[in-house]
Amino acid sequence: MRYRALGKTGIEVSTHCLGTMMFGAVGNPDHEDSARIIHTALDAGINFVDTADMYSAGECEEIVGKALKGRRDEVVLATKVHFPMGEGRNRGGNSRRWIVTAVEDSLRRLGTDWIDLYQVHRPDHTTDVEETLSVLSDLVTAGKIRTFGCSTFPAEDIVEAHHVAERRGLMRLRTEQPPYSVLARGIERSVLPTAQRLGMGVLTWSPLASGFLSGAYREGRPADLTTGRAKLTPHRFDPAVPGNAAKLAAVERLAVLAEEVGCTLPELAVAFPLVHPAVTSVIIGPRTMDQLTSLLKGADLLLDDAVLDRIDEIVAPGTDLYQADGAWQPPSLTERAWRRRPAGERAAAG
């Protein structure tokens, strides 16, 4: 396993990061089996483990904590905060009030005295970024976390956070965790160049594009929309939807390319993000031991320029054929009031 510096933190991490979202009630409910998967990943040279408080409502952090007993010092442990945890107001978001509570909860579930990388899971435009950076800086000073970053932030929010940190004398975001795959290359336009300019580490998620690059969804085959992610969002996987048809067409061409290279489609997919100079580590999120073993077999796959040129022909650089599940969308797109003036103010003359 190759290791790379995590931005300018001085921390070295493996180029594969073990994502644990599928451990717990939403994926693999067997704690002992999940622990065996974690141990196998560590034995293979992975020293970077990523989780989040909201994965299986905290159960995932508990599984990770139990699995790392006796091996905590050898692991760079990352978790995240933002999404609501339980009922009631003020139990989510990026406020000082919530983060101070959430970090203690995560430390308890993980069974550790410190978190190596604490990440803000999504932007929160109801909270001043100075409020968030201030509490995260305090947590570093208190020794509860070693460094902090963000996940799925647009480039403009990353830049704003860095300017605020500089002006207010606060610690800076050191990492970004965006979705990135052969089918979702939009971050190549601004997020990755911004991270490079600011010296940030980048750990990417969803290299298999929620299964589109796993081989589970292929052109001409009936799609099972009754299980997994397809059950939750069938319109994102229904081949009758034109956008999905375009993804499946690209998958067929990528499958042919993988066969020519002599690898599997998932191996090609996981190898692709690591080629970009801005990317530090790619998160792989197995649910079973077989899935982990399959992904690890492709760790030594080297994509040469000819293969990458073929990929560029199939999905152009900076192009998104796929919108990752859970990827943050700014209110300027999701809220009509942000895009439309009041009805009486829209005409040129009035």
Side-chain angles (χ1 to χ4, degrees):
M1 187 64 61
R2 191 188 302 272
Y3 299 86
R4 293 175 176 172
L6 186 62
K8 299 296 184 181
T9 65
I11 301 170
E12 288 195 356
V13 297
S14 50
T15 49
H16 279 175
C17 173
L18 181 67
T20 62
M21 186 178 72
M22 298 309 295
F23 298 155
V26 301
N28 186 345
D30 187 327
H31 288 207
E32 292 186 1
D33 187 48
S34 296
R36 283 192 291 270
I37 294 171
I38 293 172
H39 294 159
T40 300
L42 300 184
D43 292 341
I46 291 176
N47 76 335
F48 199 9
V49 177
D50 178 74
T51 186
D53 57 3
M54 58 85 66
Y55 293 164
S56 291
E59 183 187 5
C60 182
E61 284 187 328
E62 294 175 356
I63 292 171
V64 171
K66 288 188 290 186
L68 293 185
K69 283 184 178 179
R71 305 186 70 167
R72 175 66 185 90
D73 288 345
E74 66 186 85
V75 172
V76 178
L77 180 58
T79 191
K80 298 183 282 293
V81 61
H82 168 80
F83 286 104
M85 293 291 290
E87 300 295 330
R89 298 180 183 275
N90 299 311
R91 292 194 55 77
N94 302 346
S95 69
R96 173 179 286 270
R97 186 182 192 277
W98 173 241
I99 289 176
V100 166
T101 298
V103 73
E104 295 292 348
D105 291 343
S106 285
L107 287 168
R108 184 185 69 256
R109 287 189 293 261
L110 290 165
T112 185
D113 295 327
W114 82 97
I115 294 163
D116 294 292
L117 174 61
Y118 199 46
Q119 301 159 101
V120 182
H121 212 156
R122 294 291 187 273
D124 175 8
H125 285 168
T126 68
T127 303
D128 194 315
V129 68
E130 181 179 354
E131 174 93 355
T132 305
L133 294 174
S134 175
V135 64
L136 292 172
S137 297
D138 289 346
L139 291 175
V140 173
T141 301
K144 295 182 184 297
I145 65 176
R146 297 296 187 250
T147 192
F148 57 85
C150 54
S151 175
T152 321
F153 272 43
E156 60 269 23
D157 281 18
I158 295 172
V159 170
E160 179 189 5
H162 277 71
H163 284 323
V164 169
E166 186 176 62
R167 290 197 305 268
R168 302 300 188 188
L170 300 170
M171 297 179 185
R172 300 189 292 118
L173 296 171
R174 292 296 187 180
T175 63
E176 159 62 8
Q177 185 184 140
Y180 186 35
S181 72
V182 177
L183 298 182
R185 303 182 61 177
I187 63 168
E188 293 173 346
R189 291 182 176 273
S190 56
V191 171
L192 292 181
T194 296
Q196 281 181 289
R197 287 197 298 271
L198 296 174
M200 299 173 70
V202 175
L203 49 156
T204 66
W205 57 276
S206 198
L208 300 183
S210 294
F212 272 99
L213 296 173
S214 70
Y217 304 96
R218 297 293 296 269
E219 200 172 44
R221 296 182 190 172
D224 184 358
L225 305 179
T226 63
T227 61
R229 295 183 180 181
K231 181 179 180 180
L232 298 175
T233 54
H235 64 283
R236 299 173 66 84
F237 298 88
D238 186 350
V241 176
N244 294 335
K247 298 170 203 172
L248 293 172
V251 167
E252 291 305 312
R253 297 176 66 187
L254 291 166
V256 170
L257 177 59
E259 187 174 353
E260 293 175 2
V261 171
C263 67
T264 66
L265 180 59
E267 289 171 354
L268 179 73
V270 172
F272 171 77
L274 282 170
V275 172
H276 199 288
V279 174
T280 310
S281 186
V282 172
I283 296 173
I284 56 173
R287 181 177 53 82
T288 67
M289 186 69 78
D290 285 345
Q291 290 175 353
L292 174 65
T293 303
S294 175
L295 292 171
L296 289 176
K297 282 197 303 186
D300 60 353
L301 177 61
L302 176 66
L303 304 182
D304 61 26
D305 287 341
V307 172
L308 294 170
D309 288 344
R310 291 276 299 280
I311 291 175
D312 287 350
E313 293 171 2
I314 297 169
V315 182
T319 299
D320 280 333
L321 289 184
Y322 167 79
Q323 180 64 53
D325 289 329
W328 184 80
Q329 292 293 309
S332 56
L333 297 181
T334 61
E335 301 293 333
R336 289 193 296 178
W338 284 50
R339 295 181 283 108
R340 301 178 184 179
R341 293 181 182 272
E345 299 177 10
R346 297 173 187 170

